[in-house]
Amino acid sequence: MAWPECEVNPSKSARHFYGAEVRRLRTERGWPLHRLAEAVHFSPSTMSRVENGDVRFPTPFRRSSTASS
């Protein structure tokens, strides 16, 4: 038996917006969470955290404190 999905508020943050969009697209296609997780090489628990807006993705253009100016 599957756990009920958490409600996500897309206006809360960019992560929540992204997670809501991922969930919307997944459910439109009729995919269970584990199928999407397998397709993108994430664990189902990580995919769930993405959909719930609980995962922070690295910023590719963030400067490190040791980078020269």
Side-chain angles (χ1 to χ4, degrees), residues 1-51:
M1 185 170 160
W3 289 90
E5 292 181 344
C6 295
E7 184 152 338
V8 178
N9 180 356
S11 63
K12 186 174 180 181
S13 71
R15 288 187 314 218
H16 287 88
F17 177 81
Y18 180 77
E21 283 297 294
V22 169
R23 180 177 290 165
R24 181 183 64 79
L25 293 168
R26 175 181 64 78
T27 57
E28 278 181 2
R29 286 161 180 75
W31 284 19
L33 186 68
H34 70 86
R35 182 171 177 192
L36 177 59
E38 185 177 285
V40 298
H41 304 283
F42 282 2
S43 69
S45 62
T46 299
M47 197 70 247
S48 176
R49 291 178 55 226
V50 168
E51 287 190 357

